[in-house]
Amino acid sequence: MTGTTGEGPRDAFSSSYAQARQKFLQAAAAAELAVESKRHPLPGRDGEDLAMDVARQGHPNAGALLVLTSACHGAEGYCGSGVQVAALRDREWREYAAARGVAVLYVHALNPHGFSHARRVTHENVDLNRNFHDFSQPLPANEPYREVQPLLLSASWPPPPENEAAVAAFIAQRGEAAWQAAITRGQHEFPEGLFYGGRAPTWSNSTWREVLRVHGHRAARVAWIDIHTGLGPSGVGERIYAGRDDPASVDRARRWWDGGGRTPVTSFYDGSSTSAYLTGLMFNSVYEECPQAEYTGIAMEYGTVPVVDVMNALRADHWLALHPEAPAELAHRIKQQVMRAFYTDTDEWKEQIVRQAREALFQAVDGLSS
């Protein structure tokens, strides 16, 4: 980031959850921000402590609050953590927000277990961004998923030729978008399946809500940038509207973040996004925990590899979770496949990510303070 102190933007990224957490804590300390750590009940891949770490810049009673989060989908935290660390190191950015009276809340690793274990899901095998429902009410059905579920997790891995042929036939007949939509919308019938939304709030859901209640209940205006990866062209940060299907809110997000048309804000409500229509999304928590606030949010979605490759990486990872007896070499290959799907470990990609995130952060502050 322009205006950073110390290390450059590429050095903000990490090769493990433990390293990412250390960099976040160090960057927060250097910025003289206190950190509150919500400890996860399970250990990490290497036995390390896991936590949702929270750092806040700005007055507790600030009327405007910008939230920047990472690792909703664990393995995507390699990107999101880098963005947060770069922002914390960026004195110009921090002074810009402070001068305009905007408090900034950095929440590192919403799903620390998935981050550490290089999995997209939580330790409950739940997609956190499909878990925000009123579980006292009937849950939405995903009938197309019922059709593709038998194709997703074959008895062996890699899938046998007949499975690959069946998947190819589905895509040829229905299209890649239909395959993506059926899988990713969210489902509640197959606990071991993909994009499972759960039947109760996860640890990450409940802990995030606690953080949001404490830090958001005084704000009159709340903005949220949630960092994601895995959809779209490599290195391109798609600004996907993240809120209710409310025309005024969509219009406000587009005014704040579209960069005069250079960086359009898309929406799955109108079909302009690379994302399919989804259910149980995290943004529901803001309306429920901060009902007094005017809310405006986006998911910043950075592309990595083609979406079919991302889906195949997720299929492989779920298969591996169901087959812990898999040979070590195969397990290693699958984890490498997952990492490639959600994190491009090149200097060029990292610099693209930080540059676009920084622009979106400044745009958010301008919107909140206008």
Side-chain angles (χ1 to χ4, degrees):
M1 284 191 179
T2 304
T4 54
T5 58
E7 303 90 336
R10 291 170 292 180
D11 297 317
F13 296 83
S14 301
S15 59
S16 70
Y17 163 78
Q19 184 184 54
R21 187 183 186 209
Q22 181 182 40
K23 287 186 179 183
F24 178 83
L25 296 176
Q26 290 173 341
E32 300 183 337
L33 302 181
V35 176
E36 180 184 9
S37 297
K38 306 289 188 180
R39 186 168 179 176
H40 191 279
L42 297 178
R45 180 194 63 187
D46 301 317
E48 76 274 27
D49 288 341
L50 303 178
M52 186 186 297
D53 293 306
V54 183
R56 177 177 178 133
Q57 173 187 305
H59 196 278
N61 293 325
L65 176 67
L66 171 60
V67 183
L68 179 64
T69 53
S70 67
C72 165
H73 296 132
E76 299 176 29
Y78 285 91
C79 174
S81 175
V83 168
Q84 292 175 310
V85 171
L88 284 168
R89 291 175 177 173
D90 187 343
R91 181 179 291 114
E92 181 183 346
W93 147 248
R94 289 187 286 105
E95 290 177 349
Y96 190 86
R100 285 152 183 79
V102 175
V104 184
L105 189 70
Y106 303 86
V107 184
H108 186 265
L110 291 166
N111 171 14
H113 189 270
F115 193 166
S116 176
H117 290 267
R119 299 206 69 206
R120 190 174 183 276
V121 295
T122 68
H123 69 280
E124 302 100 335
N125 193 49
V126 168
D127 183 316
L128 181 58
N129 209 27
R130 309 293 186 275
N131 185 236
F132 285 76
H133 294 279
D134 178 353
F135 287 97
S136 68
Q137 301 299 314
L139 295 170
N142 182 352
E143 294 185 6
Y145 185 87
R146 295 172 186 165
E147 183 178 357
V148 300
Q149 165 66 14
L151 303 177
L152 295 176
L153 301 173
S154 63
S156 60
W157 202 268
E162 56 269 24
N163 177 272
E164 293 184 338
V167 170
F170 183 100
I171 295 174
Q173 294 168 8
R174 312 282 185 87
E176 187 177 293
W179 174 250
Q180 176 188 344
I183 299 171
T184 64
R185 178 171 182 169
Q187 56 87 17
H188 300 270
E189 295 182 59
F190 303 90
E192 295 179 340
L194 278 67
F195 294 86
Y196 177 59
R199 292 188 171 274
T202 61
W203 175 89
S204 289
N205 180 331
S206 300
T207 305
W208 158 245
R209 287 179 181 275
E210 178 185 337
V211 170
L212 193 56
R213 282 194 296 273
V214 169
H215 290 278
H217 74 279
R218 296 185 183 93
R221 307 183 84 189
V222 173
W224 184 4
I225 301 175
D226 189 27
I227 306 295
H228 289 262
T229 61
L231 288 178
S234 177
V236 175
E238 180 185 354
R239 292 154 160 84
I240 304 175
Y241 171 71
R244 290 174 176 167
D245 189 9
D246 171 58
S249 297
V250 175
D251 180 66
R252 186 167 59 249
R254 286 178 166 153
R255 290 199 312 271
W256 288 12
W257 279 298
D258 78 347
R262 291 182 300 100
T263 55
V265 174
T266 65
S267 171
F268 61 65
Y269 295 117
D270 63 16
S272 59
S273 173
T274 58
S275 172
Y277 182 86
L278 310 176
T279 61
L281 295 171
M282 284 206 329
F283 65 66
N284 290 312
S285 62
V286 185
Y287 298 102
E288 293 159 4
E289 306 300 341
C290 307
Q292 83 292 340
E294 177 191 80
Y295 164 66
T296 315
I298 56 170
M300 193 79 168
E301 179 77 58
Y302 292 102
T304 50
V305 297
V307 68
V308 170
D309 293 346
V310 174
M311 293 298 107
N312 286 337
L314 290 175
R315 293 174 63 201
D317 186 59
H318 278 258
W319 180 90
L320 181 60
L322 295 172
H323 295 85
E325 76 288 353
E329 182 181 353
L330 175 58
H332 179 68
R333 288 204 308 270
I334 289 173
K335 285 303 180 184
Q336 287 183 317
Q337 185 180 0
V338 172
M339 288 299 295
R340 286 194 299 271
F342 297 110
Y343 179 57
T344 302
D345 191 8
T346 66
D347 290 347
E348 179 184 10
W349 190 85
K350 294 170 189 175
E351 289 171 352
Q352 286 179 281
I353 270 50
V354 170
R355 183 174 63 252
Q356 293 169 86
R358 188 175 196 262
E359 179 183 38
L361 288 168
F362 276 85
Q363 289 169 329
V365 166
D366 288 342
L368 282 167
S369 58
S370 62

